[in-house]
Amino acid sequence: MADAVPKREYSLRLGSTAPDFEADTTIGRIKFHEWLGNSWGVLFSHPGDFTPVCTTELGEVARRAKDWEARNVKVIGISANGLEEHAKWIEDINSFGGKTAGPTDVQFPIIADPDRKVSYIYDMLDYEDVTNRDNKGLPFTIRTVFLIDPAKKIRLTLNYPAVAGRNFDEIIRAIDAIQLGDKHRIATPVNWNKGQDVIIHASVNNEEAKTLFPNHVAHLPYLRTTPLDS
């Protein structure tokens, strides 16, 4: 069974169309693109239910429901277990979250992927570590994050090792930067946070910059910053 899932010949890249799929989830069966609709999406994966790091992560995602909603983002998890295990795990997540960081109520869907079909489509399987397999010989899903825009294009990917919990402050910060860049002809500098000055995109010439960003500052011929309200 160790070779039941073949190795992919390619990887998804930024700008690729996020693969569509149909799957059972904790809110019912969904067609992914249809479920996303005109929203942004965050798809994040887990190697299995009842894992300690992922338990803390799912609780954090639930607690930040208002942050996702404010950015028109739908979140969806995926784990290599079935719906029955997911339901029991959600009870643990809500219970643990309430003891630590405040009330937790997991309302977002978690995809049941015991056969790794969705994980395979998204190239989220660990092929290199031969010890990272279940008792059927199937590789576990690695801990990946995909940010998908309303056009169903992949805009951000992050891969985390088992020992490092995901930083959802950073994921939300990156969403803010990408959404702002889509709205305006700007980029964001190192360690940028919402409300701070941004960088005028290189495609904007100096004459355009005077009109579009009248309060900008030219630090170098190619580095111009400007305040931006929204």
Side-chain angles (χ1 to χ4, degrees), residues 39-85:
S39 299
W40 291 70
V42 169
L43 171 64
F44 62 110
S45 62
H46 306 275
D49 294 2
F50 311 108
T51 49
V53 174
C54 297
T55 297
T56 66
E57 292 174 338
L58 286 161
E60 177 67 7
V61 171
R63 281 189 292 273
R64 304 197 72 153
K66 291 183 178 179
D67 289 330
W68 309 120
E69 183 180 0
R71 293 161 176 81
N72 188 31
V73 174
K74 289 183 175 180
V75 293
I76 185 167
I78 179 172
S79 185
N81 290 89
L83 291 178
E84 185 176 347
E85 291 93 342

Side-chain angles (χ1 to χ4, degrees), residues 21-32:
F21 59 85
E22 190 170 348
D24 292 322
T25 79
T26 51
I27 63 166
R29 192 160 183 84
I30 66 164
K31 294 180 179 179
F32 184 54

